[in-house]
Amino acid sequence: MPGNKYNCNPSTPRSRLERLLRERELRKNRSFQQLNEGELEFSGSDSFSNDGENWGTVDEEEFLEKPRTFSDSNERQEGRPSKQRLLVVANRLPVSAVRRSVDSWQLEISVGGLVSALLGVKEFDARWIGWAGVNVSDDIGQRTLTKSLAEKRCIPVFLDEEIVQQYYNGYCNNILWPLFHYLGLPQEDRLATTRSFQSQFDAYKKANQLFADVVNNIYQEGDVVWCHDYHLMFLPQCLKRYNSNMKVGWFLHTPFPSSEIHRTLPSRSELLRSVLAADLVGFHTYDYARHFVSACTRILGFEGTPEGVENQGKLTRVAAFPIGIDSERFIRALELPQVQDHIKELKERFAGRKVMLGVDRLDMIKGIPQKILAFEKFLEENPNWRDKVVLLQIAVPTRTDVSEYQKLTSQVHEIVGRINGRFGTLTAVPIHHLLYRDYEFGFITSCNSERLLNDRSLDFHALCALYAVTDVALVTSLRDGMNLVSYEFVACQASKKGVLILSAAQSLGAGAILVNPWNITEVAASIGYALNMPADEREKRHQLNFMHVTSHTSQEWAATFVSELNDTIVEAQLRTCQIPPSLPIKDAVDSYFQSSNRLIILIPDLDHHQHTSILQGFNSTLTAPRDSMERRGAQIREMELKLHPDLKEPLKKLCDDPLTTIVVLSGSDRSVLDDNFGEYNMWLAAENGMFLRLTTGEWMTTMPEHLNMDWVDSVKHVFEYFTERTPRSQFELRETSLVWNYKYADIEFGRLQARDMLQHLWSGPISNAAVDVVQGGRSVEVRAVGVTKGAAIDRILGEIVHHKGMKAPIDYVLCIGHFLQKDEDVYTFFEPELPFESPPPIPRAKVADAVRASMSQFSPGKSGSKVARFRKQRSLSAIERRVTNNLTTGGWWPTTRDRMALHEGSSVLDLKGDHYFSCAVAKKRSNARYLLGSSSAVVALLKDLGEYSVSS
C-alpha cells in the first residue's frame, strides 16, 4: 500500500495476532518488573490498600483522607515510561458525596462490581468520570466537590434531580435493565411506560451528552476512553462527534439480549448505531457478543463479520472479554490472623455438617427462590442429608422501594420459613437466609462486624472465611453478566477444594457443574452429586477453575481490553491507507472548466447491489428519496424509482453542453434506464454495458458475437427453487445474467440459502460453464465471463467517439460510482500508469484518434492484416465487426486493441494525469482515486459542474 507508514519498518508486526502476542509478552515483562519492585498499588495509588492487613478491600479511611497520587511519583523516576491515561467513564464514581456544609464534603465509598474488578489494575494512569450520587445545583457546591474529588483522580458529572429520575430511574432501570435481562414489564406498567418513553429517552440522551462534555474537557491526545454499561450507550457517538480520532471502547456488564428481544425497544436502531461509533465493543461472553452482532445485522442491515460489525468500510470490533478478580488478594487474605480466626469459628459452629453457600443480590434475575426450592427438593429426596448440610444464603437487598422487589423479598422469606419449619430442629435449621446491606456485587465494604453471622454487615475477612469453609457454592442466576462470586469462591478454596455449581458456563464451565436454574430437579440432583463427589474429582475440577481464575485476573481483563482497543486503532489506520482521499471539489470543477472535450460516466446501479437508503451510495443519488414507510413496501418499488428532483436541472445543463458527453453505465435492465433517463441527451449502457444507445437512437448490443448462454436455463431452475424456499427473495432474468436477491429476507437465513445455492451451482449447472459468480451484500449474480463494466467501457467509448465524430481527444474524465469490487475495473481503465486487466484482456485506454485526418497516414492494407489477426484471437461484438469492416474497406474507426497496434502515439484520451477524477461514493476502500462521502456530495458536485456548462 503506497504511503502506508506501518510498512516502512520491517520489525513492526504486520498481522493483528503478531501485534497482540507481542503486546502480551511486553505486558508480562512489565508485570514481572513491577512485582520485583514492589509496585502493588492500583495505578500506583495508595488509595486502594494492599498492605498485608486488608488484602482486596478498599481501606475507606485511607482512600478518603489521602490524596490520590496514582502513578505520578513513579513516572518521575528516571527511565520509567509514563503510563497511558485511562479515562474510566461509568454512571457512578467509586465514591459518593455527602454535603457537610456549603463548601465542605464528606466522601463515602460506593463500591460496585466495576471498581472491584479494577482494584488490581496497575497498567494505566486511571481517571474516573461519573455521577457522585448527589444533586448539586449551586456553583460553590460544584466547585468544592470537584476540588475534593480531584484529589482522588475522580471527575464528577453533575445531573439534576429531574434528569436522574428520567434517565437513571426511568430509562436505565425501568426499560433497559429489564429488557437486557429478558424481563418483561408488568402488564399494568406497559401503557404508562409507552407514554413516558420519549421523555425518558430524551433525558437519557441528554445525560449521555453531559458525560461526553466532561470527557471532552479533560481529554488529552492518546488517552483511552473506556465507557461502561447500558447507562452510557449513547456516549461513544457523542464522543466521536467531538473528536473522530478519540480512542473509545464500550463494555457491557449485563447480558445483551437476542435480536428478537432487542427489536421490541422503540429506540433499538439509535442505540445500536451509537454503540457502533466506538472502536471496540466488549461483552463478558461470546453469546452476548453474538447477540449484539446479530442485532446489528438484522435490525440495521449491517454486515456481521468474525471481527465485528462493518458498515461502509468502517469496522467496529466486537469481542468477548471475561472479567476477573484480583485473585492474589483473596489468596493472601487466607493467611491473615483475622481470617484464620473466622475460619476456626465457622468450623466449630458447623461441625459435622457440609456447608453450601450462595451470595447474591436480592434480585429477580439471581434465581434465589429457584435455588432454595431446589435445595428443598434435595432434602425431600435425601432424608439422610437433612441434618448434615446447611445452606447459607447471603442476600443484598436492592431497590427496596419498588413493589416487585418487595414481593420478591417476602416470597423468599416465606419459602425459607416454610423449609426451616419442615426440616429444621430446635438446635439447627437447614437454611440461614442473611440480608447484608453493606455487601454488593461480591465485594465487602463494611468492616464493623464483631461476631460473624450475628449482625447484618459482613467484612472482607469474614467473607473469605465463608468461602474457605464452603463445600459447595451455588451460583444459579437466571440471567447474568459475569458473576464474580464464583471467582472469589475458587480463589479461597486452596485447601477445601469445594465444588462449584453454575447456571451458565461463562468461563468456569470446565471445572464446574453446569445446571439449568429453572429445572429444580436437575439442580437438586447436582447438589447431591457435588456433596458426594470423590476427593480426586474435586481436586481436578478445582485445578481447572483455579488455573483460570489466577490467570484471567481483573488486571489482565483491563489490560487486554485496552490492548485490543489500541490495536483496533492501528488496524483502522492500516485500512485508512487503502481509503482514497476526498475528492478535491475545486480542482475537479476547475479542470472541467478548462477542458474542451469532457466525458462524465455515472454509475447509478438501480439493481441488487445497492441499498435504497439516501446515504447508500450512488444508487439513490440519481433517484428521489423515499420515506421509511415507502421503503417498507414491496420490492418491486425499487424498479419504480424516479430521478432526484434536485438533479434534473443540473443534469439537463450537462447533457445539453456540446463539450460534455454523459454516459449512464448500469447493471440494470434497459427499461429502467429508459424510464429514468430517456428525456436527456445522453448515452445509456444497460446490463453492465452489454446494451448501448444514445437516448435519441435505438438500443444496440456490445456483446461478443459468440457469447455462450447455454447455462441460463439450468441456473434459472436453481434460482427458482431457492426463491420458493426463501420468503421475500426474488430473482431477475436478464439477457446476459441472472440475479437472485434476498435483500428483504431474513439476513441470516438468506446467507445460509446463498451458501447452499452456491454449492448447488458449482457442483452442477456452472461447473464447466464460462461464467462469473458475483456475490453482493445480499445477492448472487451469475453472468457470462467478460460481462463487466470495465470490459464494456472500451467498446462503448469507441462507439461514442465514432458517433460524435470527435475531432479532439478527450481531456477530462469524471467517473462516479459505487459498486462491487469486480466492476471497479472501470476506474483502472482510465489510469495511464496501470495495466488494465479484465477478461478478455484489454490494453490501456490509449486508442487511436477518432479523426480520419489524424489517421490518414495509415495504410489500409497493413491495418487490415492486423485486424484479421486479432479477429482470430477473440469474438467481436456487432459494433466491433462493423468498425473493423469500415477500417479494412477504408473506414476510419478501429477497436481499442487494433488502434493500439496501429498507432501507439495517437490517443483519444489526453488526460494529462490530473484531469481524471474517479470517485467512489460512500465506500471506504476502492480502486478509485477519490472518495465522495455521501450521495449529497454527488448532487452538489453535479450542480457545480452544471453552472460551468455551455448550452448548445
Side-chain angles (χ1 to χ4, degrees):
M1 291 175 289
N4 187 342
K5 63 180 179 181
Y6 296 98
N7 286 343
C8 58
N9 186 358
S11 65
T12 302
R14 300 195 179 194
S15 74
R16 175 172 171 265
L17 181 59
E18 287 176 350
R19 290 193 300 273
L20 292 176
L21 287 175
R22 188 183 71 165
E23 175 63 24
R24 183 171 178 267
E25 289 302 315
L26 291 174
R27 201 160 62 239
K28 283 185 175 181
N29 292 337
R30 286 196 299 267
S31 298
F32 182 75
Q33 180 183 2
Q34 291 169 359
L35 185 62
N36 289 338
E37 296 174 359
E39 194 176 67
L40 296 175
E41 297 81 19
F42 168 46
S43 293
S45 169
D46 28 302
S47 47
F48 295 102
S49 173
N50 283 315
D51 56 6
E53 288 294 317
N54 195 8
W55 301 104
T57 183
V58 175
D59 190 320
E60 185 172 351
E61 226 175 88
E62 186 176 4
F63 181 89
L64 297 177
E65 294 182 4
K66 281 192 177 182
R68 298 191 68 183
T69 57
F70 279 79
S71 56
D72 292 347
S73 60
N74 294 330
E75 291 173 11
R76 296 191 192 103
Q77 297 177 15
E78 187 176 355
R80 174 71 58 84
S82 61
K83 296 179 180 180
Q84 186 173 26
R85 284 214 324 173
L86 177 63
L87 306 183
V88 179
V89 191
N91 177 62
R92 289 294 298 271
L93 290 172
V95 296
S96 293
V98 178
R99 196 164 193 170
R100 289 177 171 175
S101 62
V102 175
D103 58 353
S104 177
W105 293 88
Q106 177 184 347
L107 302 181
E108 298 177 351
I109 277 291
S110 59
V111 179
L114 175 59
V115 179
S116 176
L118 289 176
L119 281 177
V121 176
K122 316 171 186 69
E123 294 284 329
F124 310 102
D125 178 13
R127 268 79 169 168
W128 287 78
I129 301 169
W131 179 49
V134 62
N135 176 34
V136 187
S137 56
D138 59 296
D139 293 339
I140 296 177
Q142 292 187 4
R143 230 177 13 252
T144 54
L145 178 57
T146 301
K147 183 178 179 180
S148 298
L149 290 172
E151 297 176 356
K152 319 295 184 248
R153 293 291 177 92
C154 294
I155 298 96
V157 177
F158 295 104
L159 305 175
D160 60 44
E161 289 184 2
E162 183 180 355
I163 289 183
V164 171
Q165 182 63 28
Q166 293 277 330
Y167 146 71
Y168 181 69
N169 297 327
Y171 194 79
C172 292
N173 288 341
N174 287 342
I175 295 178
L176 289 184
W177 192 91
L179 182 82
F180 282 13
H181 290 86
Y182 294 77
L183 297 176
L185 290 172
Q187 185 64 41
E188 60 271 17
D189 293 342
R190 289 180 182 173
L191 183 59
T193 300
T194 301
R195 289 172 175 170
S196 62
F197 169 81
Q198 191 57 49
S199 63
Q200 293 181 2
F201 185 53
D202 291 341
Y204 181 84
K205 291 190 290 186
K206 183 178 180 180
N208 276 247
Q209 185 61 53
L210 292 174
F211 276 85
D213 294 340
V214 174
V215 174
N216 186 59
N217 288 337
I218 68 167
Y219 175 80
Q220 298 175 8
E221 186 176 355
D223 287 355
V224 171
V225 184
W226 194 358
C227 313
H228 288 271
D229 232 354
Y230 58 93
H231 311 89
L232 302 175
M233 295 181 73
F234 242 85
L235 185 57
Q237 186 179 76
C238 297
L239 293 175
K240 289 291 187 176
R241 286 173 179 167
Y242 278 124
N243 186 347
S244 60
N245 295 322
M246 191 181 293
K247 298 178 182 179
V248 179
W250 182 80
F251 193 91
L252 183 66
H253 293 269
T254 68
F256 191 89
S258 69
S259 60
E260 291 305 309
I261 297 295
H262 186 77
R263 70 168 59 250
T264 63
L265 188 65
S267 55
R268 60 193 186 189
S269 298
E270 290 181 83
L271 289 180
L272 291 176
R273 292 180 187 274
S274 300
V275 171
L276 288 175
D279 301 293
L280 176 63
V281 176
F283 299 90
H284 282 306
T285 69
Y286 171 74
D287 280 347
Y288 303 152
R290 178 171 53 85
H291 288 165
F292 178 79
V293 173
S294 176
C296 293
T297 56
R298 291 176 180 271
I299 296 174
L300 300 180
F302 293 167
E303 184 73 16
T305 71
E307 293 184 332
V309 179
E310 186 171 0
N311 178 40
Q312 297 296 328
K314 196 270 184 183
L315 174 67
T316 299
R317 194 179 298 283
V318 180
F321 301 91
I323 199 172
I325 62 171
D326 190 354
S327 56
E328 199 64 27
R329 297 185 294 122
F330 289 86
I331 296 172
R332 296 184 182 183
L334 296 177
E335 303 172 2
L336 298 177
Q338 301 97 311
V339 177
Q340 290 296 321
D341 291 342
H342 284 312
I343 291 176
K344 182 180 179 181
E345 182 181 351
L346 286 168
K347 286 182 177 180
E348 291 175 356
R349 179 165 183 174
F350 298 113
R353 305 175 76 181
K354 294 280 190 178
V355 177
M356 299 175 59
L357 179 65
V359 181
D360 302 280
R361 237 183 18 244
L362 193 54
D363 210 323
M364 278 82 73
I365 66 167
K366 296 300 182 179
I368 295 177
Q370 290 82 355
K371 179 194 303 184
I372 297 174
L373 291 174
F375 183 63
E376 178 186 28
K377 187 169 185 61
F378 167 75
L379 295 178
E380 288 176 353
E381 298 176 348
N382 299 274
N384 58 311
W385 275 102
R386 291 177 184 175
D387 58 349
K388 297 179 182 178
V389 64
V390 60
L391 171 62
L392 305 179
Q393 178 58 54
I394 298 175
V396 183
T398 58
R399 303 185 70 185
T400 54
D401 57 331
V402 179
S403 60
E404 292 296 317
Y405 287 79
Q406 294 171 356
K407 292 178 184 178
L408 175 64
T409 303
S410 300
Q411 183 184 42
V412 172
H413 279 299
E414 180 184 341
I415 297 173
V416 170
R418 177 173 55 79
I419 296 174
N420 283 340
R422 180 181 177 187
F423 298 106
T425 65
L426 291 176
T427 58
V429 292
I431 302 177
H432 290 260
H433 180 227
L434 310 169
L435 296 179
Y436 288 95
R437 300 183 182 278
D438 295 325
Y439 175 87
E440 187 176 5
F441 303 113
F443 190 80
I444 302 304
T445 64
S446 176
C447 305
N448 301 319
S449 68
E450 295 179 1
R451 286 218 26 108
L452 182 64
L453 302 181
N454 286 347
D455 60 12
R456 289 302 177 259
S457 61
L458 187 65
D459 67 14
F460 174 73
H461 302 144
L463 178 70
C464 291
L466 272 176
Y467 284 144
V469 300
T470 297
D471 296 280
V472 178
L474 284 166
V475 182
T476 55
S477 302
L478 305 179
R479 185 76 59 176
D480 218 342
M482 179 64 70
N483 198 312
L484 297 180
V485 170
S486 58
Y487 283 64
E488 296 172 354
F489 166 74
V490 170
C492 295
Q493 283 287 310
S495 60
K496 195 79 171 182
K497 308 294 190 298
V499 182
L500 178 63
I501 297 178
L502 276 181
S503 60
Q506 297 189 2
S507 300
L508 293 175
I513 298 175
L514 305 181
V515 296
N516 176 1
W518 296 98
N519 189 338
I520 61 173
T521 301
E522 180 186 350
V523 178
S526 298
I527 292 173
Y529 182 74
L531 291 173
N532 293 289
M533 185 178 292
D536 59 339
E537 184 178 350
R538 290 205 313 270
E539 173 76 25
K540 291 177 182 177
R541 286 177 177 270
H542 171 73
Q543 288 303 323
L544 288 172
N545 288 334
F546 189 76
M547 185 180 303
H548 180 88
V549 169
T550 53
S551 59
H552 293 74
T553 62
S554 57
Q555 179 178 350
E556 188 66 22
W557 167 71
T560 300
F561 185 91
V562 177
S563 175
E564 287 265 5
L565 178 55
N566 285 324
D567 187 76
T568 299
I569 302 299
V570 173
E571 282 285 310
Q573 291 171 343
L574 292 175
R575 286 194 301 272
T576 301
C577 296
Q578 306 172 40
I579 298 175
S582 297
L583 175 69
I585 302 293
K586 185 177 185 303
D587 293 344
V589 174
D590 289 345
S591 297
Y592 178 88
F593 178 71
Q594 296 167 7
S595 57
S596 58
N597 191 9
R598 311 146 181 158
L599 174 65
I600 298 179
I601 302 175
L602 308 176
I603 301 108
D605 262 334
L606 310 177
D607 61 0
H608 57 285
H609 295 324
Q610 308 302 331
H611 300 285
T612 57
S613 166
I614 190 63
L615 295 178
Q616 287 291 334
F618 192 60
N619 172 22
S620 51
T621 299
L622 297 184
T623 55
R626 297 176 295 166
D627 60 34
S628 57
M629 293 299 296
E630 289 177 328
R631 286 198 296 271
R632 296 182 190 131
Q635 296 97 312
I636 196 64
R637 291 187 183 180
E638 287 199 9
M639 308 305 292
E640 300 173 356
L641 301 174
K642 300 301 179 184
L643 191 64
H644 196 297
D646 292 342
L647 273 176
K648 290 185 177 182
E649 183 177 349
L651 196 58
K652 187 176 187 306
K653 288 182 179 180
L654 291 171
C655 292
D656 291 343
D657 187 346
L659 304 181
T660 303
T661 302
I662 305 289
V663 179
V664 173
L665 175 59
S666 174
S668 301
D669 186 78
R670 286 173 284 180
S671 60
V672 176
L673 297 188
D674 285 338
D675 292 342
N676 283 279
F677 306 103
E679 62 184 277
Y680 298 94
N681 180 27
M682 62 169 61
W683 289 84
L684 304 180
E687 296 199 27
N688 296 302
M690 293 299 102
F691 296 94
L692 178 70
R693 84 172 179 105
L694 184 63
T695 49
T696 57
E698 298 296 327
W699 284 101
M700 65 187 81
T701 179
T702 68
M703 290 188 294
E705 182 180 10
H706 302 299
L707 193 65
N708 187 349
M709 301 293 289
D710 295 340
W711 48 270
V712 170
D713 288 339
S714 56
V715 172
K716 178 184 174 185
H717 292 318
V718 174
F719 277 22
E720 288 175 340
Y721 173 73
F722 278 92
T723 301
E724 293 172 359
R725 291 181 59 194
T726 311
R728 293 188 292 177
S729 68
Q730 63 176 355
F731 83 94
E732 181 182 355
L733 177 62
R734 299 173 180 172
E735 297 200 38
T736 58
S737 65
L738 285 91
V739 180
W740 183 66
N741 183 357
Y742 58 93
K743 177 178 176 180
Y744 291 94
D746 179 271
I747 186 168
E748 298 294 338
F749 182 61
R751 286 173 180 166
L752 291 174
Q753 293 292 80
R755 190 181 311 161
D756 195 14
M757 170 190 285
L758 291 174
Q759 292 177 351
H760 278 74
L761 291 174
W762 286 117
S763 62
I766 64 173
S767 57
N768 297 312
V771 297
D772 285 327
V773 178
V774 182
Q775 281 189 271
R778 300 185 189 181
S779 65
V780 175
E781 179 181 8
V782 179
R783 60 194 188 192
V785 170
V787 179
T788 67
K789 296 177 176 68
I793 194 66
D794 179 61
R795 298 187 289 268
I796 294 171
L797 185 60
E799 177 63 20
I800 291 174
V801 174
H802 167 65
H803 182 274
K804 297 189 71 171
M806 291 184 180
K807 298 182 180 180
I810 296 173
D811 57 356
Y812 179 92
V813 173
L814 173 64
C815 181
I816 307 177
H818 181 181
F819 34 65
L820 296 178
Q821 190 70 29
K822 189 172 185 62
D823 287 326
E824 287 211 339
D825 48 7
V826 174
Y827 294 144
T828 57
F829 178 86
F830 295 99
E831 292 286 357
E833 71 275 12
L834 294 177
F836 177 74
E837 297 179 1
S838 178
I842 304 173
R844 305 179 186 189
K846 286 193 173 183
V847 293
D849 243 356
V851 191
R852 184 190 293 254
S854 67
M855 299 182 62
S856 58
Q857 62 220 22
F858 302 152
S859 165
K862 182 188 295 186
S863 61
S865 63
K866 293 212 176 217
V867 171
R869 287 202 300 272
F870 278 107
R871 289 187 65 184
K872 294 178 182 178
Q873 296 176 16
R874 64 171 182 158
S875 172
L876 300 179
S877 68
I879 294 176
E880 290 172 324
R881 288 203 312 277
R882 173 171 53 77
V883 169
T884 305
N885 290 336
N886 287 341
L887 180 61
T888 54
T889 58
W892 61 273
W893 180 248
T895 65
T896 302
R897 182 185 291 273
D898 300 332
R899 294 193 301 270
M900 278 288 296
L902 291 171
H903 196 288
E904 292 283 350
S906 59
S907 172
V908 73
L909 296 174
D910 184 20
L911 299 181
K912 299 178 182 178
D914 56 348
H915 280 204
Y916 171 47
F917 299 89
S918 56
C919 306
V921 181
K923 184 176 181 179
K924 297 300 183 182
R925 282 178 283 183
S926 172
N927 291 330
R929 287 188 173 190
Y930 304 106
L931 180 70
L932 282 168
S934 67
S935 55
S936 59
V938 181
V939 176
L941 173 63
L942 295 182
K943 284 184 177 180
D944 290 342
L945 297 181
E947 295 299 322
Y948 287 95
S949 297
V950 180
S951 176
S952 57

